[in-house]
Amino acid sequence: MEEVFENLIKGFIDNKIGITENFISHGLAEHLKQSILSLQEENLLLPAGTGNAEKLNHNTAIRSDTIYWLDKNHNDPYENEFLTTIETFIKYLNLHCYAGISDYEFHYSIYKKGSYYIKHLDQFKNDSHRAYSMISYLNTDWHEEDGGELLVQLENKQQKIAPTQGKTVLFKSNELPHEVLLTHKTRLSVTGWLKKS
């Protein structure tokens, strides 16, 4: 895993956005995909909002995905395997980059056909604990005409990232405005944040 971690970190250092393949294995990605689809069938996903608990706002003109928070207390082996991978990455990041990460939070996210999330930053106005944003995608057979790309605004250019299975993205939560473009078919991911105290 160290090579995968290094690729993610190097891309972040060089370009302000790290992208790597195989952060999660194909097998784990398939299990996570089945988990999120089962949760959807059981109507356990909730409409996503903006802001935190103090200022939570549900506005489908801003974002129209649904989410389900991951938690080791669910005792789901695949959620736990994913979160253990995140914990291993945090230890590596803290050891080699002195990142000071002390916590994390992740959720499943489903964008149904016709969904999107307009341009935003991933840090709350009243809470600066989120340091890095991470997204792992769970979409096989994804093509350009399917839309749903992550569009990131860099200093003098934009970068469009296809949400293909196995791809993981890392960037600073308070630096890069980004959006999820209109998706033309169901788009799945595990999205979250590495947090400082």
Side-chain angles (χ1 to χ4, degrees):
M1 286 300 292
E2 287 192 5
E3 183 178 351
V4 175
F5 293 169
E6 280 294 327
N7 287 340
L8 195 58
I9 293 167
K10 185 178 186 305
F12 167 76
I13 292 170
D14 291 346
N15 306 305
K16 292 194 173 183
I17 182 163
I19 304 173
T20 191
E21 304 291 338
N22 303 316
F23 184 87
I24 54 177
S25 68
H26 175 75
L28 178 56
E30 287 296 320
H31 285 300
L32 292 172
K33 184 189 304 182
Q34 291 308 311
S35 293
I36 190 173
L37 292 173
S38 294
L39 290 164
Q40 182 185 41
E41 287 179 7
E42 296 169 25
N43 294 314
L44 293 175
L45 283 95
L46 299 173
T50 55
N52 56 11
E54 295 176 19
K55 295 185 176 181
L56 186 61
N57 178 37
H58 293 284
N59 184 345
T60 55
I62 296 173
R63 67 183 298 185
S64 49
D65 57 318
T66 55
I67 64 171
Y68 179 90
W69 289 98
L70 276 63
D71 190 323
K72 283 196 169 182
N73 290 328
H74 295 157
N75 292 318
D76 181 282
Y78 307 115
E79 281 186 43
N80 288 352
E81 184 179 346
F82 174 82
L83 294 175
T84 297
T85 302
I86 293 295
E87 291 167 359
T88 303
F89 176 66
I90 288 171
K91 288 178 184 176
Y92 190 88
L93 187 65
N94 285 341
L95 178 65
H96 294 276
C97 301
Y98 309 102
I101 302 302
S102 57
D103 199 4
Y104 60 84
E105 56 185 3
F106 280 83
H107 61 64
Y108 289 125
S109 182
I110 294 185
Y111 286 78
K112 294 181 181 178
K113 181 179 179 181
S115 298
Y116 56 87
Y117 192 167
I118 66 171
K119 188 185 295 184
H120 63 283
L121 287 172
D122 275 352
Q123 200 168 76
F124 303 124
K125 292 179 180 178
N126 62 341
D127 184 344
S128 60
H129 292 310
R130 288 179 174 177
Y132 298 94
S133 301
M134 287 188 73
I135 310 157
S136 292
Y137 294 109
L138 306 173
N139 306 292
T140 51
D141 300 318
W142 198 269
H143 305 286
E144 186 174 356
E145 59 268 24
D146 298 325
E149 296 96 339
L150 178 69
L151 183 66
V152 181
Q153 182 66 54
L154 300 168
E155 288 179 359
N156 53 7
K157 65 176 183 178
Q158 292 181 326
Q159 184 169 352
K160 191 183 286 187
I161 300 164
T164 51
Q165 181 161 298
K167 185 179 295 175
T168 293
V169 177
L170 173 76
F171 55 92
K172 284 198 82 172
S173 300
N174 66 344
E175 278 191 1
L176 300 183
H178 56 283
E179 60 188 294
V180 176
L181 300 179
L182 183 70
T183 184
H184 303 299
K185 71 176 186 181
T186 299
R187 174 192 189 272
L188 310 176
S189 66
V190 185
T191 299
W193 299 272
L194 310 184
K195 303 171 71 175
K196 294 184 177 181
S197 300

